[in-house]
Amino acid sequence: MPETVPIIDVTGLRQPDQEARRQVAAALGAACRGAGFFLVTGHGIAPEVTQRLFAAARQLFALPEATKQALSIRHSPHNRGYVGLSEEQLDPTRPADRKEAFNVGLDLAADDPEVLAGLPFRGVNLWPEGAPQLRRDILAHFDAAWALGRLLHRGFALDLGLAEDFFEDKLDRPLATLRLLHYPAGSGTEAALGAGEHTDYGNVTVLATDGVAGLEVKRRNGAWEEVPQVPGAFVCNIGDCLMRWTNDVYVSTPHRVRAPVAERYSAAFFLDPNPEAVVEVLPGCTGPANPARYAPVTGAAYLRQKLDATYAHRREA
């Protein structure tokens, strides 16, 4: 399959004409089987939404260190809050990642029934005090990226021979995370990566970037390819969970972020399924030469496994 990262206009997925939808679905399917990455245009997200998101990110990461640490992810069992510079090491063979991050999930109130019931990953977001507009701008992008992720899944379903709404009831209360990322300017050398080599956990990632280069995809021959910068487009990639669902028909491709020469901001929306959704190999993705490779698992159990393997503070809790 071709490995070059393609640009796909998804406008057709919103058309009443099924052939238009099928054409986009086929393009998505080819990308998911090949590069595992694609750029999306025609997504319908207003530029102002992304502009306000990045303004909020700059405001947030410019807060005093003590303020940010008060919002630390270490205070949350629900994968919410601030991750300090060099607190993560995605590639254990490299130095710690030169980035800081801020995680936001479904914005639930403290008295929400799911929070009160103690359901996994159902908790409150950690917000800085006195910044209501920042919260609104971040959540506006969360909702827009969530809608785009669900639209993409309609294309995936069509490509995989499923009902177009197959994933809808598995993504309507998702374990989704919007992760704001800040990479300080670095040397750009391999020894000081912004984010080490890794694959993403969930179904699909919708990434907004500020135009500063740095994201690279690993090709099958081991070479690294820089993801092109296309103004107004979102970078999307398949995660391990959708790869599992499709029995490795779709591929979750390793990628990394070089330490950028200039300061870099990005915002990655990770769309994981609902906590109770059962992730099991789809019937159309097996055959005599390709038996099911994965046992069924719930969305919550799957995400817990992934996060516990990544964050030391979760293993120590």
Side-chain angles (χ1 to χ4, degrees), residues 70-293:
L71 305 172
S72 173
I73 196 171
R74 295 173 181 272
H75 303 317
S76 171
H78 309 293
N79 195 38
R80 316 288 178 94
Y82 175 71
V83 180
L85 190 65
S86 300
E87 284 189 16
E88 290 183 350
Q89 187 180 11
L90 289 174
D91 183 346
T93 69
R94 298 281 189 185
D97 298 348
R98 290 287 298 164
K99 69 175 188 292
E100 55 181 339
F102 187 76
N103 290 8
V104 173
L106 283 177
D107 198 45
L108 305 177
D111 60 354
D112 185 282
E114 291 185 316
V115 176
L116 294 175
L119 296 182
F121 303 109
R122 293 306 200 206
V124 297
N125 287 317
L126 305 180
W127 299 106
E129 294 183 5
Q133 189 61 50
L134 177 147
R135 175 179 176 173
R136 285 192 290 269
D137 290 343
I138 291 174
L139 291 177
H141 184 84
F142 183 104
D143 290 344
W146 180 14
L148 175 57
R150 289 160 78 170
L151 179 69
L152 292 174
H153 275 78
R154 297 185 73 85
F156 300 154
L158 192 57
D159 172 68
L160 294 166
L162 305 168
E164 288 180 67
D165 63 352
F166 173 83
F167 291 104
E168 187 61 28
D169 65 354
K170 302 163 185 66
L171 299 171
D172 56 359
R173 294 287 292 173
L175 297 173
T177 301
L178 174 60
R179 172 163 250 218
L180 307 181
L181 294 153
H182 172 227
Y183 301 88
S187 64
T189 66
E190 286 194 0
L193 292 173
E197 179 180 344
H198 65 286
T199 56
D200 291 344
Y201 304 154
N203 271 25
V204 70
T205 302
V206 177
L207 178 73
T209 69
D210 65 354
V212 176
L215 178 61
E216 296 179 328
V217 176
K218 193 173 189 178
R219 300 181 64 126
R220 305 293 179 265
N221 63 5
W224 289 96
E225 175 186 349
E226 184 168 313
V227 176
Q229 300 291 314
V230 177
F234 289 97
V235 182
C236 296
N237 63 279
I238 299 307
D240 297 341
C241 189
L242 191 57
M243 184 169 170
R244 182 185 185 112
W245 230 320
T246 64
N247 206 32
D248 298 352
V249 171
Y250 287 1
V251 295
S252 176
T253 303
H255 51 285
R256 68 184 185 185
V257 178
R258 298 192 320 271
V261 176
E263 184 178 40
R264 181 177 187 267
Y265 291 86
S266 65
F269 179 81
F270 302 107
L271 184 52
D272 292 77
N274 295 356
E276 74 286 353
V278 177
V279 180
E280 57 186 336
V281 172
L282 298 168
C285 296
T286 59
N290 188 31
R293 304 178 186 186

